[in-house]
Amino acid sequence: MDILTDDAASTTAKASNIIPDPVNYKAYATGVVQEARDRESYARNYGMGDVQSYAVMRRESIRARPCFTLIQSARQLHILDDVLDHPAIREMENAANDMIWIVNDVYSFKQEFRENGALNNLLTVVQRDPEFNGLDLQRLDHAEKLFREALERFNISKNNPPPLEQEMEQQVATYANGLIDWVVGNLHWSPVTRRYDVFMNEEDGKQSSRNEAVTIG
């Protein structure tokens, strides 16, 4: 059964009270396929080596877009398709997505490096990109810069929505809050989960939750 078709996505959505959004589902599926190709290319040492191309791919493969649909369902939003398709709303989603994958790449770097040299990770791509002249110790600084730029893009889009009636405007504002909640949730979850084993020890993880300086192994 082809679970990526519009009909299948719509049927699943009706059964689970989730609003179907084929645009998000297809974008995610396309991104996953591209990421698989990139990982194979890196293994052969001729994969993409520039941050801009990597960012476009990573935005779709991070698995966040289908979750954005869940935000609308969980908060009982009924945002019109033409509103969701507005450039300001799509840019708001893209910016949120970028913040999520940037954080994911930073926190998962140690685990990925142990597994395969972190061949498909922002911190590796920055080092390979000729534009950045092989940045090494500054790779985290550049990731922070990209995150701050994405946050600024998000706020600009959030503060400049399309002209809407009051009820729809409120729904869009609620959706924007849901997007940033997802970003913040990812920030809090990633360093404490055992999945990435980010910190040297348990005490470092506790310090992170208190916003204290920690050592990353």
Side-chain angles (χ1 to χ4, degrees), residues 79-87 89-90 162 164 168:
I79 303 175
L80 300 175
D81 288 345
D82 59 343
V83 175
L84 288 173
D85 286 336
H86 190 277
I89 307 303
R90 287 302 181 191
L164 300 169
M168 187 59 60

Side-chain angles (χ1 to χ4, degrees), residues 56-124:
V56 172
M57 177 278 298
R58 197 72 177 93
R59 178 184 294 167
E60 306 307 339
S61 69
I62 190 59
R63 305 174 179 86
R65 285 204 189 276
C67 298
F68 293 168
T69 302
L70 292 177
I71 294 173
Q72 298 178 57
S73 179
R75 303 197 176 195
Q76 298 183 341
L77 303 177
H78 301 280
I79 303 175
L80 300 175
D81 288 345
D82 59 343
V83 175
L84 288 173
D85 286 336
H86 190 277
I89 307 303
R90 287 302 181 191
E91 175 62 5
M92 189 168 62
E93 292 177 333
N94 288 340
N97 225 342
D98 287 345
M99 287 186 278
I100 292 169
W101 73 256
I102 291 168
V103 167
N104 179 264
D105 274 25
V106 170
Y107 281 133
S108 66
F109 179 78
K110 186 171 74 171
Q111 176 185 331
E112 292 181 32
F113 189 81
R114 285 197 302 248
E115 292 177 351
N116 62 9
L119 297 176
N120 206 48
N121 185 288
L122 174 64
L123 300 185
T124 303

Side-chain angles (χ1 to χ4, degrees), residues 121-161:
N121 185 288
L122 174 64
L123 300 185
T124 303
V125 177
V126 168
Q127 193 174 33
R128 293 170 60 107
D129 192 332
E131 181 180 346
F132 302 104
N133 297 317
L135 286 178
D136 188 10
L137 296 179
Q138 296 81 22
R139 288 181 289 174
L140 281 173
D141 293 336
H142 188 70
E144 178 188 0
K145 177 176 179 289
L146 291 178
F147 183 93
R148 290 183 180 276
E149 290 174 350
L151 178 59
E152 182 178 3
R153 286 167 37 222
F154 180 90
N155 286 328
I156 290 174
S157 298
K158 178 184 178 181
N159 295 329
N160 293 276

